[in-house]
Coordinates of all heavy atoms in Angstrom, one line a residue:
M20 N 0.9 -1.2 0.0 CA 0.0 0.0 0.0 C 0.9 1.2 0.0 O 1.9 1.3 0.7 CB -0.9 0.0 1.2 CG -2.0 1.0 1.2 SD -3.2 0.7 -0.1 CE -3.8 -0.9 0.3
T21 N 0.5 2.2 -0.8 CA 1.3 3.5 -0.9 C 0.9 4.4 0.3 O -0.2 4.5 0.7 CB 0.9 4.2 -2.2 OG1 1.2 3.3 -3.3 CG2 1.7 5.5 -2.3
I22 N 2.0 4.9 0.9 CA 1.8 5.8 2.1 C 2.3 7.2 1.6 O 3.4 7.3 1.1 CB 2.6 5.4 3.3 CG1 2.4 3.9 3.6 CG2 2.4 6.3 4.5 CD1 1.0 3.6 4.1
V23 N 1.5 8.2 1.8 CA 1.9 9.5 1.3 C 1.7 10.6 2.3 O 0.9 10.6 3.2 CB 1.0 9.9 0.0 CG1 1.3 9.0 -1.1 CG2 -0.4 10.0 0.3
V24 N 2.6 11.6 2.2 CA 2.5 12.9 2.9 C 1.6 13.8 2.1 O 1.8 14.0 0.9 CB 3.8 13.5 3.2 CG1 3.7 14.7 4.1 CG2 4.8 12.5 3.7
T25 N 0.6 14.5 2.8 CA -0.3 15.3 2.1 C -0.1 16.8 2.6 O 0.8 17.1 3.3 CB -1.7 14.9 2.4 OG1 -2.0 14.9 3.8 CG2 -1.9 13.4 1.9
D26 N -1.0 17.6 2.1 CA -0.9 19.1 2.3 C -0.7 19.6 3.7 O -0.1 20.6 3.9 CB -2.2 19.7 1.7 CG -2.1 21.2 1.6 OD1 -1.2 21.7 0.9 OD2 -2.8 21.9 2.2
N27 N -1.2 18.8 4.7 CA -1.1 19.3 6.1 C 0.3 19.5 6.5 O 0.6 20.2 7.4 CB -1.8 18.4 7.1 CG -3.3 18.5 7.0 OD1 -3.9 19.2 6.2 ND2 -4.0 18.0 8.0
C28 N 1.2 18.8 5.9 CA 2.7 18.9 6.2 C 3.2 20.3 5.8 O 4.1 20.8 6.4 CB 3.5 17.8 5.6 SG 5.2 17.8 6.1
R29 N 2.6 20.8 4.8 CA 3.2 22.0 4.2 C 3.1 23.2 5.2 O 2.1 23.4 5.8 CB 2.3 22.4 2.9 CG 3.0 23.4 2.0 CD 2.2 23.5 0.7 NE 0.7 23.7 1.0 CZ 0.2 24.9 1.3 NH1 0.9 25.9 1.4 NH2 -1.1 24.9 1.6
L30 N 4.2 23.8 5.3 CA 4.5 24.9 6.3 C 4.5 24.5 7.7 O 4.6 25.3 8.6 CB 3.4 26.0 6.1 CG 3.2 26.6 4.7 CD1 2.1 27.7 4.7 CD2 4.6 27.2 4.2
C31 N 4.5 23.2 8.0 CA 4.7 22.6 9.3 C 6.1 21.9 9.4 O 7.0 22.3 10.1 CB 3.6 21.6 9.7 SG 2.0 22.3 9.9
R32 N 6.2 20.8 8.7 CA 7.4 20.0 8.6 C 7.9 19.7 10.0 O 9.1 20.0 10.3 CB 8.4 20.7 7.7 CG 9.3 19.7 6.9 CD 10.3 20.4 6.1 NE 11.3 21.1 7.0 CZ 12.3 21.8 6.5 NH1 12.5 21.9 5.2 NH2 13.1 22.4 7.3
F33 N 7.1 19.1 10.8 CA 7.5 18.7 12.2 C 8.6 17.6 12.2 O 9.4 17.5 13.1 CB 6.3 18.3 13.0 CG 5.4 19.4 13.5 CD1 4.2 19.7 12.8 CD2 5.8 20.2 14.5 CE1 3.4 20.7 13.2 CE2 5.0 21.3 14.9 CZ 3.8 21.5 14.3
T34 N 8.5 16.7 11.2 CA 9.5 15.6 11.0 C 9.5 14.6 12.1 O 10.5 13.8 12.2 CB 10.9 16.1 10.7 OG1 11.5 16.8 11.8 CG2 10.9 17.0 9.5
E35 N 8.5 14.5 12.9 CA 8.4 13.3 13.9 C 8.5 12.0 13.1 O 9.0 11.0 13.5 CB 7.1 13.4 14.7 CG 7.2 13.9 16.0 CD 7.4 15.5 16.0 OE1 7.3 16.1 15.0 OE2 7.6 16.0 17.1
C36 N 7.9 12.0 11.9 CA 7.9 10.8 11.0 C 9.3 10.3 10.8 O 9.5 9.0 10.8 CB 7.2 11.2 9.7 SG 7.9 12.7 8.9
V37 N 10.2 11.1 10.6 CA 11.6 10.7 10.3 C 12.2 9.9 11.4 O 13.0 9.0 11.2 CB 12.5 11.9 10.0 CG1 13.9 11.6 9.8 CG2 11.9 12.7 8.8
T38 N 11.8 10.2 12.7 CA 12.4 9.6 13.9 C 11.9 8.2 14.0 O 12.5 7.4 14.7 CB 12.1 10.4 15.2 OG1 10.7 10.3 15.5 CG2 12.5 11.9 15.0
V39 N 10.7 7.8 13.5 CA 10.2 6.5 13.7 C 10.3 5.6 12.4 O 10.1 4.4 12.5 CB 8.7 6.5 14.1 CG1 8.5 7.3 15.4 CG2 7.8 7.2 13.0
C40 N 10.7 6.2 11.3 CA 10.8 5.4 10.1 C 12.0 4.4 10.1 O 13.1 4.9 10.4 CB 10.9 6.3 8.9 SG 10.9 5.4 7.3
P41 N 11.8 3.1 10.0 CA 12.9 2.2 10.1 C 13.8 2.1 8.8 O 14.8 1.5 8.8 CB 12.2 0.8 10.3 CG 10.8 1.0 9.6 CD 10.5 2.5 9.8
V42 N 13.3 2.8 7.8 CA 14.1 2.9 6.5 C 14.1 4.3 6.1 O 13.3 5.1 6.5 CB 13.5 2.0 5.4 CG1 13.6 0.5 5.7 CG2 12.0 2.4 5.2
A43 N 15.1 4.7 5.3 CA 15.3 6.1 5.0 C 14.5 6.5 3.8 O 15.0 6.5 2.7 CB 16.8 6.4 4.8
C44 N 13.2 6.7 4.0 CA 12.4 7.0 2.8 C 11.8 8.4 2.8 O 11.0 8.7 1.9 CB 11.3 6.0 2.6 SG 10.3 5.7 4.0
F45 N 12.1 9.2 3.8 CA 11.6 10.6 3.7 C 12.6 11.5 3.0 O 13.8 11.5 3.3 CB 11.3 11.1 5.2 CG 10.1 10.6 5.7 CD1 10.1 9.4 6.5 CD2 8.9 11.2 5.4 CE1 8.9 8.9 7.0 CE2 7.7 10.7 5.9 CZ 7.7 9.6 6.7
H46 N 12.0 12.4 2.2 CA 12.8 13.4 1.5 C 12.1 14.8 1.8 O 10.9 14.8 2.0 CB 12.8 13.1 0.0 CG 13.4 11.8 -0.4 ND1 14.6 11.7 -1.1 CD2 13.0 10.6 -0.1 CE1 14.9 10.4 -1.2 NE2 13.9 9.7 -0.6
A47 N 12.9 15.8 1.8 CA 12.3 17.1 2.2 C 12.8 18.3 1.3 O 13.9 18.3 0.7 CB 12.8 17.5 3.6
D48 N 11.8 19.2 1.1 CA 12.2 20.5 0.5 C 12.0 21.6 1.6 O 11.8 21.2 2.8 CB 11.5 20.8 -0.8 CG 10.0 20.9 -0.6 OD1 9.5 21.0 0.5 OD2 9.2 20.8 -1.6
D49 N 11.9 22.8 1.2 CA 11.8 23.9 2.2 C 10.4 23.9 2.9 O 10.2 24.6 3.9 CB 12.0 25.3 1.6 CG 13.5 25.4 1.3 OD1 14.3 24.7 1.8 OD2 13.8 26.3 0.4
D50 N 9.4 23.2 2.3 CA 8.0 23.3 2.8 C 7.5 22.1 3.5 O 6.7 22.2 4.5 CB 7.1 23.6 1.6 CG 7.2 24.9 1.0 OD1 7.7 25.9 1.7 OD2 6.9 25.1 -0.2
M51 N 8.0 20.9 3.1 CA 7.4 19.7 3.7 C 8.2 18.5 3.3 O 9.3 18.6 2.7 CB 5.9 19.5 3.1 CG 5.8 19.4 1.6 SD 4.1 19.2 1.0 CE 3.8 17.4 1.4
V52 N 7.7 17.3 3.8 CA 8.5 16.1 3.4 C 7.6 15.2 2.5 O 6.4 15.4 2.4 CB 8.8 15.3 4.7 CG1 9.7 16.1 5.6 CG2 7.6 14.8 5.5
Y53 N 8.3 14.2 1.9 CA 7.6 13.3 0.9 C 8.2 11.9 1.1 O 9.3 11.8 1.5 CB 8.0 13.8 -0.5 CG 7.7 15.2 -0.8 CD1 8.7 16.2 -0.5 CD2 6.5 15.7 -1.3 CE1 8.5 17.5 -0.7 CE2 6.2 17.0 -1.5 CZ 7.2 18.0 -1.2 OH 7.0 19.3 -1.4
I54 N 7.4 10.9 0.8 CA 7.8 9.5 1.0 C 8.1 8.9 -0.3 O 7.4 9.0 -1.3 CB 6.7 8.7 1.7 CG1 6.5 9.2 3.1 CG2 7.0 7.2 1.7 CD1 5.2 8.7 3.8
D55 N 9.3 8.2 -0.3 CA 9.7 7.4 -1.5 C 9.1 6.0 -1.3 O 9.6 5.2 -0.5 CB 11.2 7.3 -1.6 CG 11.6 6.5 -2.8 OD1 10.8 5.9 -3.5 OD2 12.9 6.4 -3.0
N56 N 8.0 5.7 -2.0 CA 7.4 4.4 -1.8 C 8.1 3.2 -2.5 O 7.7 2.1 -2.4 CB 5.9 4.5 -2.3 CG 5.0 5.0 -1.2 OD1 4.5 4.2 -0.4 ND2 4.8 6.3 -1.1
N57 N 9.2 3.5 -3.1 CA 10.1 2.4 -3.6 C 10.9 1.9 -2.4 O 11.5 0.8 -2.5 CB 11.1 2.9 -4.7 CG 10.4 3.2 -5.9 OD1 9.5 2.5 -6.4 ND2 10.7 4.4 -6.5
V58 N 11.0 2.7 -1.3 CA 11.8 2.3 -0.1 C 10.9 2.0 1.0 O 11.2 1.1 1.9 CB 12.7 3.5 0.2 CG1 13.5 3.1 1.5 CG2 13.7 3.8 -0.9
C59 N 9.7 2.6 1.1 CA 8.8 2.4 2.3 C 8.4 1.0 2.4 O 8.1 0.3 1.4 CB 7.5 3.3 2.0 SG 6.2 3.0 3.2
I60 N 8.4 0.5 3.6 CA 8.0 -0.9 3.8 C 6.6 -1.0 4.4 O 6.2 -2.1 4.9 CB 9.0 -1.6 4.8 CG1 9.1 -0.9 6.1 CG2 10.4 -1.8 4.1 CD1 9.9 -1.7 7.2
D61 N 5.8 0.1 4.4 CA 4.4 0.0 4.8 C 4.2 -0.4 6.2 O 3.2 -1.0 6.6 CB 3.6 -0.9 3.8 CG 2.1 -0.7 3.9 OD1 1.7 0.3 4.4 OD2 1.4 -1.6 3.3
C62 N 5.1 0.0 7.1 CA 5.0 -0.3 8.5 C 4.0 0.6 9.2 O 3.5 0.2 10.3 CB 6.4 -0.2 9.2 SG 6.9 1.5 9.5
R63 N 3.7 1.7 8.7 CA 2.7 2.7 9.2 C 3.1 3.3 10.5 O 2.2 3.9 11.2 CB 1.4 2.0 9.2 CG 1.0 1.5 7.9 CD -0.4 0.9 7.8 NE -0.6 0.5 6.4 CZ -1.7 0.7 5.7 NH1 -2.7 1.3 6.3 NH2 -1.8 0.3 4.5
A64 N 4.3 3.2 10.9 CA 4.8 3.8 12.2 C 4.7 5.4 12.1 O 4.5 6.0 13.1 CB 6.2 3.4 12.5
C65 N 4.8 5.9 10.9 CA 4.8 7.4 10.8 C 3.4 8.0 10.9 O 3.3 9.2 11.2 CB 5.4 7.8 9.4 SG 4.6 7.0 8.0
I66 N 2.4 7.2 10.6 CA 1.0 7.8 10.5 C 0.6 8.4 11.8 O 0.2 9.5 11.8 CB 0.0 6.7 9.9 CG1 0.4 6.4 8.5 CG2 -1.4 7.3 10.0 CD1 -0.4 5.3 7.8
P67 N 0.6 7.7 12.9 CA 0.1 8.2 14.2 C 1.0 9.3 14.8 O 0.5 10.0 15.7 CB -0.1 7.0 15.1 CG 0.9 6.0 14.6 CD 1.0 6.3 13.1
V68 N 2.2 9.4 14.4 CA 3.1 10.4 15.1 C 3.0 11.8 14.5 O 3.5 12.7 15.1 CB 4.6 9.9 15.2 CG1 4.7 8.6 15.9 CG2 5.2 9.8 13.8
C69 N 2.4 11.9 13.4 CA 2.4 13.2 12.7 C 1.4 14.1 13.5 O 0.2 13.8 13.6 CB 1.9 13.1 11.3 SG 1.7 14.8 10.5
P70 N 1.9 15.3 14.0 CA 1.0 16.1 14.8 C -0.2 16.7 14.1 O -1.1 17.2 14.7 CB 2.0 17.2 15.3 CG 3.3 16.7 15.1 CD 3.2 15.8 13.9
V71 N -0.1 16.7 12.7 CA -1.1 17.4 12.0 C -1.8 16.4 11.0 O -2.5 16.8 10.0 CB -0.6 18.6 11.2 CG1 -0.3 19.7 12.1 CG2 0.6 18.2 10.4
K72 N -1.6 15.1 11.3 CA -2.3 14.0 10.5 C -2.1 14.2 9.0 O -3.0 14.1 8.2 CB -3.8 14.0 10.8 CG -4.1 13.7 12.3 CD -5.5 13.4 12.5 CE -5.9 13.3 13.9 NZ -5.0 12.7 14.9
A73 N -0.8 14.5 8.6 CA -0.5 14.7 7.2 C -0.3 13.4 6.4 O -0.3 13.5 5.2 CB 0.7 15.6 7.1
I74 N 0.0 12.3 7.2 CA 0.4 11.1 6.5 C -0.8 10.1 6.4 O -1.4 9.8 7.4 CB 1.6 10.5 7.2 CG1 2.8 11.5 7.3 CG2 2.1 9.2 6.4 CD1 4.0 11.0 8.1
L75 N -1.0 9.7 5.2 CA -2.2 8.8 5.0 C -1.8 7.6 4.1 O -1.0 7.8 3.2 CB -3.3 9.6 4.3 CG -3.9 10.8 5.1 CD1 -4.8 11.6 4.2 CD2 -4.7 10.3 6.3
S76 N -2.5 6.5 4.3 CA -2.4 5.4 3.4 C -3.3 5.8 2.2 O -4.3 6.5 2.3 CB -3.0 4.1 4.0 OG -3.3 3.2 3.0
E77 N -2.9 5.3 1.0 CA -3.7 5.6 -0.2 C -5.2 5.3 -0.1 O -6.1 5.9 -0.6 CB -3.1 5.0 -1.5 CG -3.2 3.5 -1.5 CD -2.7 3.0 -2.9 OE1 -3.1 3.6 -3.9 OE2 -1.9 2.1 -2.9
D78 N -5.5 4.3 0.7 CA -6.9 3.9 1.0 C -7.7 5.0 1.6 O -8.9 5.0 1.5 CB -7.0 2.7 1.9 CG -6.7 1.4 1.2 OD1 -6.6 1.4 -0.1 OD2 -6.6 0.3 1.8
D79 N -7.0 5.8 2.4 CA -7.7 6.8 3.2 C -7.7 8.2 2.5 O -8.2 9.2 3.1 CB -7.0 6.9 4.6 CG -7.2 5.6 5.4 OD1 -8.3 5.0 5.2 OD2 -6.2 5.3 6.1
L80 N -7.2 8.3 1.3 CA -7.1 9.6 0.6 C -8.5 9.9 0.0 O -9.1 9.1 -0.6 CB -6.1 9.5 -0.5 CG -4.6 9.4 -0.2 CD1 -3.8 9.1 -1.4 CD2 -4.1 10.6 0.6
A81 N -8.9 11.1 0.3 CA -10.1 11.6 -0.4 C -9.8 11.8 -1.9 O -8.6 11.9 -2.3 CB -10.5 13.0 0.2
D82 N -10.8 12.0 -2.7 CA -10.6 12.1 -4.1 C -9.7 13.3 -4.4 O -8.8 13.3 -5.3 CB -11.9 12.3 -4.9 CG -12.6 11.0 -5.0 OD1 -12.0 9.9 -4.8 OD2 -13.8 11.0 -5.3
D83 N -9.9 14.4 -3.7 CA -9.1 15.6 -3.9 C -7.7 15.5 -3.3 O -6.9 16.5 -3.3 CB -9.8 16.9 -3.5 CG -10.0 16.9 -2.0 OD1 -9.7 16.0 -1.3 OD2 -10.5 18.0 -1.5
Q84 N -7.3 14.4 -2.7 CA -6.0 14.2 -2.2 C -5.2 13.2 -3.0 O -4.0 13.0 -2.7 CB -6.0 13.7 -0.7 CG -6.6 14.7 0.3 CD -6.7 14.1 1.7 OE1 -7.3 13.0 1.9 NE2 -6.2 14.8 2.7
K85 N -5.8 12.5 -3.9 CA -5.1 11.4 -4.6 C -3.9 11.9 -5.4 O -3.0 11.1 -5.7 CB -6.1 10.7 -5.5 CG -7.2 9.9 -4.7 CD -7.9 8.9 -5.5 CE -9.1 8.2 -4.8 NZ -8.7 7.6 -3.5
H86 N -3.9 13.2 -5.8 CA -2.7 13.7 -6.6 C -1.5 13.6 -5.7 O -0.4 13.7 -6.3 CB -3.0 15.1 -7.1 CG -3.1 16.1 -6.0 ND1 -4.2 16.2 -5.2 CD2 -2.2 17.1 -5.5 CE1 -4.1 17.2 -4.3 NE2 -2.8 17.7 -4.5
W87 N -1.6 13.5 -4.4 CA -0.4 13.4 -3.6 C 0.4 12.2 -3.8 O 1.6 12.1 -3.5 CB -0.8 13.6 -2.1 CG -1.2 15.0 -1.8 CD1 -2.4 15.5 -1.6 CD2 -0.2 16.1 -1.6 NE1 -2.3 16.9 -1.4 CE2 -1.0 17.3 -1.4 CE3 1.2 16.2 -1.7 CZ2 -0.4 18.5 -1.2 CZ3 1.7 17.5 -1.5 CH2 1.0 18.6 -1.3
I88 N -0.2 11.1 -4.3 CA 0.6 9.9 -4.7 C 1.7 10.3 -5.7 O 2.9 10.0 -5.5 CB -0.3 8.8 -5.2 CG1 -1.3 8.4 -4.1 CG2 0.5 7.6 -5.7 CD1 -2.4 7.4 -4.6
E89 N 1.3 11.0 -6.7 CA 2.2 11.4 -7.8 C 3.2 12.4 -7.2 O 4.4 12.4 -7.6 CB 1.5 11.9 -9.0 CG 2.3 12.0 -10.2 CD 1.5 12.4 -11.4 OE1 0.3 12.2 -11.5 OE2 2.1 13.0 -12.3
V90 N 2.7 13.4 -6.4 CA 3.6 14.4 -5.9 C 4.7 13.8 -5.0 O 5.9 14.1 -5.2 CB 2.8 15.4 -5.1 CG1 3.7 16.4 -4.4 CG2 1.8 16.2 -5.9
N91 N 4.3 12.8 -4.2 CA 5.3 12.2 -3.3 C 6.3 11.4 -4.2 O 7.5 11.5 -3.9 CB 4.7 11.2 -2.3 CG 4.2 11.9 -1.1 OD1 4.7 11.7 0.0 ND2 3.2 12.8 -1.2
A92 N 5.9 10.8 -5.2 CA 6.8 10.0 -6.1 C 7.8 10.9 -6.8 O 9.0 10.7 -6.8 CB 6.0 9.2 -7.1
E93 N 7.2 12.0 -7.3 CA 8.1 13.0 -8.1 C 9.1 13.7 -7.2 O 10.3 13.8 -7.5 CB 7.2 14.0 -8.8 CG 6.5 13.4 -10.0 CD 5.6 14.4 -10.7 OE1 5.6 15.6 -10.3 OE2 5.0 14.0 -11.7
R94 N 8.6 14.2 -6.1 CA 9.4 15.0 -5.2 C 10.4 14.2 -4.5 O 11.6 14.6 -4.3 CB 8.5 15.9 -4.2 CG 7.6 16.8 -4.9 CD 8.4 17.9 -5.6 NE 9.0 18.9 -4.8 CZ 10.1 19.6 -5.1 NH1 10.6 19.4 -6.3 NH2 10.7 20.4 -4.2
S95 N 10.1 13.0 -4.0 CA 11.0 12.2 -3.3 C 12.2 11.8 -4.2 O 13.3 11.7 -3.7 CB 10.3 11.0 -2.7 OG 9.9 10.1 -3.7
S96 N 11.9 11.6 -5.5 CA 13.0 11.2 -6.4 C 13.9 12.4 -6.7 O 15.1 12.2 -7.1 CB 12.4 10.6 -7.7 OG 11.8 11.6 -8.4
A97 N 13.5 13.6 -6.5 CA 14.2 14.8 -6.8 C 15.0 15.4 -5.7 O 15.8 16.3 -5.9 CB 13.3 15.8 -7.5
L98 N 14.6 15.0 -4.4 CA 15.2 15.6 -3.3 C 16.0 14.7 -2.4 O 15.9 13.5 -2.5 CB 14.0 16.1 -2.4 CG 13.2 17.2 -3.0 CD1 11.8 17.3 -2.3 CD2 13.9 18.6 -2.9
P99 N 16.9 15.2 -1.6 CA 17.8 14.4 -0.8 C 17.0 13.7 0.4 O 16.0 14.2 0.8 CB 18.8 15.4 -0.2 CG 18.2 16.7 -0.3 CD 17.3 16.7 -1.5
V100 N 17.5 12.6 0.8 CA 16.9 11.9 2.0 C 17.1 12.8 3.2 O 18.1 13.4 3.4 CB 17.6 10.5 2.2 CG1 17.2 9.9 3.5 CG2 17.3 9.6 1.0
L101 N 16.0 12.8 4.0 CA 16.1 13.4 5.3 C 16.2 12.4 6.4 O 15.3 11.6 6.6 CB 14.8 14.3 5.6 CG 14.8 15.1 6.8 CD1 15.9 16.2 6.8 CD2 13.4 15.8 7.0
E102 N 17.4 12.3 7.1 CA 17.6 11.2 8.0 C 17.4 11.5 9.5 O 17.2 10.7 10.3 CB 19.0 10.7 7.8 CG 19.3 10.2 6.4 CD 20.0 8.9 6.4 OE1 19.6 8.0 7.2 OE2 20.9 8.7 5.5
D103 N 17.4 12.8 9.8 CA 17.3 13.3 11.2 C 16.1 14.3 11.3 O 15.8 15.0 10.4 CB 18.6 14.0 11.6 CG 19.8 13.0 11.5 OD1 19.7 11.9 12.0 OD2 20.8 13.4 10.9
K104 N 15.6 14.3 12.5 CA 14.6 15.2 12.8 C 15.1 16.7 12.7 O 16.2 16.9 13.1 CB 14.0 15.0 14.3 CG 13.0 16.0 14.7 CD 12.2 15.6 15.8 CE 11.2 16.7 16.3 NZ 10.5 17.4 15.2
Q105 N 14.3 17.5 12.2 CA 14.6 19.0 12.0 C 13.7 19.8 12.9 O 12.6 19.4 13.2 CB 14.4 19.4 10.5 CG 15.1 18.5 9.5 CD 16.6 18.7 9.6 OE1 17.1 19.8 9.7 NE2 17.4 17.6 9.7
P106 N 14.2 21.0 13.2 CA 13.2 21.9 13.9 C 12.0 22.2 13.0 O 12.2 22.3 11.8 CB 14.1 23.2 14.1 CG 15.5 22.8 13.9 CD 15.5 21.6 12.9
P107 N 10.8 22.3 13.6 CA 9.7 22.6 12.8 C 9.9 24.0 12.1 O 10.7 24.8 12.6 CB 8.5 22.7 13.8 CG 9.0 21.9 15.0 CD 10.5 22.1 15.0
L108 N 9.2 24.2 11.0 CA 9.3 25.5 10.3 C 8.7 26.6 11.2 O 7.9 26.3 12.1 CB 8.5 25.4 9.0 CG 9.0 24.4 8.0 CD1 8.1 24.5 6.7 CD2 10.5 24.7 7.6
P109 N 9.2 27.8 11.0 CA 8.7 28.9 11.9 C 7.2 29.1 11.8 O 6.5 29.6 12.7 CB 9.4 30.2 11.3 CG 10.6 29.6 10.6 CD 10.2 28.2 10.1
T110 N 6.6 28.6 10.7 CA 5.1 28.7 10.5 C 4.4 27.6 11.1 O 3.1 27.5 11.0 CB 4.8 28.8 9.0 OG1 5.6 27.8 8.3 CG2 5.3 30.1 8.4
A111 N 5.1 26.6 11.7 CA 4.4 25.3 12.1 C 3.3 25.5 13.1 O 2.2 24.9 12.9 CB 5.5 24.3 12.6
E112 N 3.5 26.2 14.1 CA 2.5 26.3 15.2 C 1.3 27.0 14.7 O 0.1 26.7 15.0 CB 3.1 26.9 16.4 CG 4.0 26.0 17.2 CD 3.4 24.6 17.6 OE1 2.2 24.5 17.7 OE2 4.2 23.7 17.7
S113 N 1.4 28.1 13.9 CA 0.3 28.8 13.4 C -0.5 27.9 12.4 O -1.7 27.9 12.3 CB 0.7 30.1 12.8 OG 1.6 30.0 11.7
R114 N 0.3 27.2 11.6 CA -0.4 26.3 10.6 C -1.1 25.2 11.3 O -2.2 24.8 11.0 CB 0.7 25.7 9.7 CG 0.3 24.6 8.8 CD -0.3 25.1 7.5 NE -0.4 24.0 6.5 CZ -1.5 23.9 5.7 NH1 -2.5 24.7 5.8 NH2 -1.5 22.9 4.9
R115 N -0.5 24.6 12.4 CA -1.2 23.6 13.2 C -2.5 24.1 13.8 O -3.5 23.4 13.7 CB -0.3 23.1 14.3 CG -1.0 22.1 15.2 CD -0.2 21.1 16.0 NE 0.8 21.6 16.8 CZ 1.6 20.8 17.6 NH1 1.3 19.5 17.6 NH2 2.5 21.3 18.3
A116 N -2.4 25.3 14.3 CA -3.7 25.9 14.9 C -4.7 26.1 13.8 O -5.9 25.8 14.0 CB -3.3 27.2 15.5
E117 N -4.3 26.5 12.6 CA -5.2 26.8 11.5 C -5.8 25.4 11.1 O -7.0 25.4 10.7 CB -4.4 27.3 10.3 CG -5.1 27.6 9.1 CD -4.1 28.1 8.0 OE1 -3.3 29.0 8.2 OE2 -4.1 27.4 6.9
L118 N -5.1 24.4 11.2 CA -5.6 23.0 10.8 C -6.5 22.4 11.9 O -7.1 21.4 11.7 CB -4.4 22.1 10.5 CG -3.6 22.4 9.2 CD1 -2.4 21.6 9.2 CD2 -4.5 22.2 8.0
G119 N -6.4 23.0 13.1 CA -7.3 22.5 14.2 C -6.7 21.4 15.0 O -7.4 20.7 15.7
Y120 N -5.3 21.3 15.0 CA -4.7 20.3 15.8 C -3.9 20.9 17.0 O -3.5 22.0 16.9 CB -3.8 19.4 15.0 CG -4.5 18.6 13.9 CD1 -4.3 18.9 12.6 CD2 -5.5 17.7 14.3 CE1 -5.0 18.2 11.6 CE2 -6.2 17.0 13.3 CZ -6.0 17.3 12.0 OH -6.7 16.6 11.0
Ligands
LIG25 FE1 8.7 4.9 6.9 FE2 7.0 3.0 7.7 FE3 6.1 5.5 7.2 FE4 6.9 3.9 5.2 S1 5.1 3.6 6.5 S2 7.4 6.1 5.5 S3 8.6 2.7 6.2 S4 7.5 4.9 8.8

């Protein structure tokens, strides 16, 4: 099953997911992280630790979120692996409040 990071990560990038992932499949740009599903082993450890519920299995994607499968594939292949937790973005707490978490 494909596991993807969705829009809620954007402007947050808390990166708790990176600390629990047993394989190095997270990649990051300045806004958010993305999962390389060629590496992901579908353990789902990252899903409950995200403070803003940004990570979803493809089964749980709404129709207007399905494009994130392709976005994760494209962006993860173009960006470096993120192996360590990073400080959240300066916009993270306001974005989390805006999302209601
Ligand atoms: Fe990593 Fe498991 Fe999440 Fe895949 S499902 S990104 S292997 S923590």
Side-chain angles (χ1 to χ4, degrees):
M20 192 62 65
T21 302
I22 310 293
V23 296
V24 185
T25 61
D26 188 63
N27 283 13
C28 184
R29 197 171 49 79
L30 304 179
C31 289
R32 214 183 63 182
F33 283 102
T34 66
E35 262 75 4
C36 49
V37 175
T38 69
V39 299
C40 184
V42 292
C44 54
F45 282 95
H46 299 247
D48 61 17
D49 290 342
D50 290 335
M51 59 180 284
V52 299
Y53 309 88
I54 293 171
D55 180 354
N56 274 272
N57 293 317
V58 178
C59 175
I60 58 171
D61 197 12
C62 73
R63 302 181 180 225
C65 56
I66 294 175
V68 300
C69 177
V71 290
K72 301 191 187 323
I74 305 176
L75 298 170
S76 165
E77 67 174 311
D78 278 354
D79 296 324
L80 292 171
D82 285 346
D83 65 357
Q84 293 177 307
K85 293 196 186 302
H86 66 285
W87 284 103
I88 296 173
E89 194 174 336
V90 172
N91 276 248
E93 287 179 0
R94 297 298 287 153
S95 65
S96 68
L98 292 161
V100 172
L101 184 65
E102 303 229 37
D103 299 310
K104 178 162 174 47
Q105 304 294 311
L108 296 179
T110 48
E112 288 304 332
S113 60
R114 171 89 166 135
R115 170 154 59 176
E117 180 186 305
L118 292 168
Y120 296 115

